[in-house]
Amino acid sequence: MGFDLGTELVGMGLRSMSSDHRSVVSINLFVALLCACIVIGHLLEENRWMNESITALAIGLCTGIVILLTTKGKSSHILVFSEDLFFIYLLPPIIFNAGFQVKKKQFFRNFMTIILFGAVGTLISFFVISFGAIEFFRRMEISLDVGDYLAIGAIFSATDSVCTLQILNQDETPLLYSLVFGEGVVNDATSVVLFNALQNFDLVHIDAVIILRFIGNFFYLFLSSTFLGAFTGLLSAYVIKKLYFGRHSTDREVAIMMLMAYLSYMLAELLNLSGILTVFFCGIVMSHYTWHNVTESSRITTKHAFATLSFIAETFLFLYVGMDALDIEKWKFVSSRSWKSIGVSSIILCLVLAEELLLFSHCLFSNLTKSLRVKKLPFRKQVIIWWAGLMRGAVSIALAYNKFTRSGHTQLPGNAIMITSTITVVLFSTVVFGLMTKPLIRLLLPSSQKQLARNLSEPTTPVSLLSSLLEHRPSSLRMLLSKPTHTVHHLWRKFDDSFMRPVFGGRGFVPFVPGSPTERSVHGEE
C-alpha cells in the first residue's frame, strides 16, 4: 500500500510539473505575441486601413490557425478564456484609464448629450435588440428563455469605440472625441448594469411589480456604484494629501493610487455593484484631486503606467478573441446547426444597424435643445458617432461568456449558438467596420477641416466673450442666460474651490518634498 501511495505521489508530481511546463510555455508564447502586436501595430501606424485592434485580431486568427494545424484540430488557443480573467484583471485598467485620462471639462460640458447617447440610447438599443431577438429567434426554434433574450439585448447594446478613438485626436476634435469616448464608456457601463440587474430577477413570470423592482434595482446599482467610486477616489486624495508619501518615496504614492483604484473595483464586485461605473468615476475623481497631490515624478509615472496597463489589456483581449474565434470545441456543437448560427449572427447585425440608426434622432433632439448654432453637431460628426456605435467588442464577448457558459464552451445547443454568434458579430463588426474607419474619418474630416472642427468644438468670439462676461455677473443672470449644463458647472466650480479643494487637495496643491528642485521652484513662485 505504501508503494502504491508513493507511485501515486510521483505521478501527481509529474502531472503537476507537466501542467506547470505547459503554463510557462503558454505564457511565453502569449507575451511574445503581445510584443509582435505592438511592433506590427507600430509599423502599420500610417496604413490607411489597419489599426491596432484589427492587427491584434489578425495575429490572433493566424496564431489560432497555426495551433489548429500543430494540434491536428484539437485546439486553437494557448490560454483558456475565463470571464473572471476579463472582469477581474483586464477590464479594470481599461475603464480606470478611461476615467483617469478623460478631459473632464469637455466630458462634463457635453454631459447631457453623452447621457442622451450613452444611457438613453443604450436603453432603447436594449429594448430593440431584446424584442427583435424574441420575435425572430423563436421562429427559428432556438431554445432560450425570456431572461436569455433580455440578456442578449444587454450584451449587444455594449459598443466598442476603440477603433474610432485610436484615429480621432482629442486636441484637434475635442467635441467629437469627448462624445465618442463618453458615449462608449457610459454605454458599456449601462449595458453591464442592465446585465447585472437582470441576473437578480426571475423573469419567467413578468408583471408590473417585477418591472418596478427591476427599474429600482437598475437605478440603485447606477447611483451606488457611482458613489462608491467617488468616495474611494476622495479617500485616496485625502490620505495622500495628509500623509505626504512623496517626502520618503514616490513609489508609495504610485502604489497607493494603483491599489486604491483596484480596491474600488473589487469592492463594487464584492457588494454586487457595477465595477465598471465605480472604477470609472474613481478614475475621474483621482485625476481631479489625487493626481495633483503627488509629486511631479509620481504624476508622470502614474499617467504613463495607467495608459500602458490599459493598452496591454486591450491588446490582450483582441488577440485572444482572434484565437478564440477558431475554437473547434464551440463550433462542434453548432456544426449540425450552422445555418442557425449564421442566421442568428445576421439577425443580430441587422438589429444593431437598425437601432443605431435611431442615433440620428438623438442628434436631432440634441441640436434642437442647443441655442448656439456653433455648438450644434453637424451631420458629418453624427455619421462618425453612428459608425463608432456599430462595432461590438470585448465587453459583449465577456457578457456572453458570463451568461451562456462558465467554462469556455457549452453543450447546450442554444447557448453554443449564442456564443459562436457573438464571436462572429464581434469579428465582423470590428474587422469590416474597423477597416473602413480610417478612410471614413479622413473623408468626413479632411486635414484642411480639422482646425475648423476644433474651432467649432471650442467656440470663441462672441460665445467665449459672452461666457467670460457672464463669469463676473451675478449667478441669477448667469442662470437665465447660460445653458443648464454650464450653470451646473459654474456652481460646482464654486463649491469645489470653497469646500472640496481645501480638504482633498487638487489643482494648485503642491506637496512639499525636501530637496526637490521642482517643489522649491513652485513654492518660490507662490
Side-chain angles (χ1 to χ4, degrees), residues 44 126 274 279 361 526:
L44 296 175
F126 164 74
S274 172
V279 79
S361 63
E526 293 178 353

Side-chain angles (χ1 to χ4, degrees), residues 256-481:
I256 198 70
M257 285 185 68
M258 288 185 171
L259 291 174
M260 291 200 72
Y262 190 67
L263 178 64
S264 71
Y265 183 87
M266 295 309 298
L267 276 176
E269 294 298 312
L270 179 66
L271 299 173
N272 294 319
L273 303 178
S274 172
I276 285 184
L277 266 180
T278 298
V279 79
F280 175 69
F281 279 98
C282 180
I284 290 179
V285 173
M286 276 194 173
S287 68
H288 190 67
Y289 296 107
T290 313
W291 189 75
H292 296 281
N293 296 347
V294 300
T295 57
E296 187 67 26
S297 58
S298 295
R299 294 175 191 173
I300 298 172
T301 302
T302 51
K303 181 177 180 180
H304 293 289
F306 292 138
T308 302
L309 290 173
S310 174
F311 171 75
I312 293 174
E314 287 179 1
T315 306
F316 182 99
L317 288 171
F318 282 108
L319 182 64
Y320 189 89
V321 168
M323 284 191 292
D324 200 52
L326 298 175
D327 184 11
I328 198 68
E329 294 182 1
K330 295 183 182 67
W331 295 103
K332 281 181 180 178
F333 297 119
V334 297
S335 58
S336 60
R337 306 173 182 83
S338 56
W339 66 271
K340 282 190 177 181
S341 181
I342 296 173
V344 168
S345 303
S346 303
I347 290 171
I348 291 173
L349 281 170
C350 291
L351 290 174
V352 168
L353 287 169
E355 59 87 9
E356 283 297 330
L357 287 174
L358 296 174
L359 179 133
F360 291 103
S361 63
H362 302 161
C363 294
L364 177 62
F365 177 79
S366 177
N367 285 341
L368 290 175
T369 60
K370 295 180 178 179
S371 58
L372 298 173
R373 182 178 179 182
V374 73
K375 285 192 174 185
K376 293 185 178 182
L377 200 63
F379 181 73
R380 291 188 175 189
K381 292 184 179 180
Q382 294 179 29
V383 173
I384 293 176
I385 298 173
W386 168 74
W387 189 264
L390 291 177
M391 285 167 268
R392 299 298 183 265
V395 175
S396 295
I397 288 283
L399 292 179
Y401 274 97
N402 188 287
K403 179 62 180 179
F404 297 109
T405 179
R406 278 287 173 178
S407 58
H409 63 276
T410 178
Q411 297 184 12
L412 296 176
N415 290 4
I417 288 174
M418 290 312 308
I419 291 292
T420 54
S421 298
T422 303
I423 293 173
T424 302
V425 170
V426 169
L427 277 177
F428 181 86
S429 62
T430 303
V431 175
V432 176
F433 298 147
L435 282 173
M436 300 172 64
T437 299
K438 274 188 180 180
L440 179 68
I441 291 178
R442 290 179 180 179
L443 175 66
L444 297 176
L445 293 177
S447 300
S448 60
Q449 296 183 6
K450 283 185 178 178
Q451 186 60 39
L452 176 61
R454 184 176 182 178
N455 293 336
L456 291 176
S457 302
E458 293 286 354
T460 55
T461 309
V463 179
S464 60
L465 177 61
L466 177 61
S467 299
S468 63
L469 291 174
L470 289 173
E471 289 289 343
H472 300 90
R473 301 296 296 168
S475 59
S476 58
L477 178 61
R478 180 177 176 82
M479 281 278 190
L480 293 173
L481 299 180

Side-chain angles (χ1 to χ4, degrees), residues 161-194:
S161 54
V162 172
C163 291
T164 307
L165 292 175
Q166 287 174 352
I167 300 167
L168 291 176
N169 188 313
Q170 62 178 328
D171 294 322
E172 294 177 343
T173 55
L175 172 62
L176 181 60
Y177 188 95
S178 67
L179 290 180
V180 173
F181 168 81
E183 190 268 344
V185 173
V186 174
N187 170 281
D188 287 347
T190 307
S191 299
V192 174
V193 171
L194 269 174

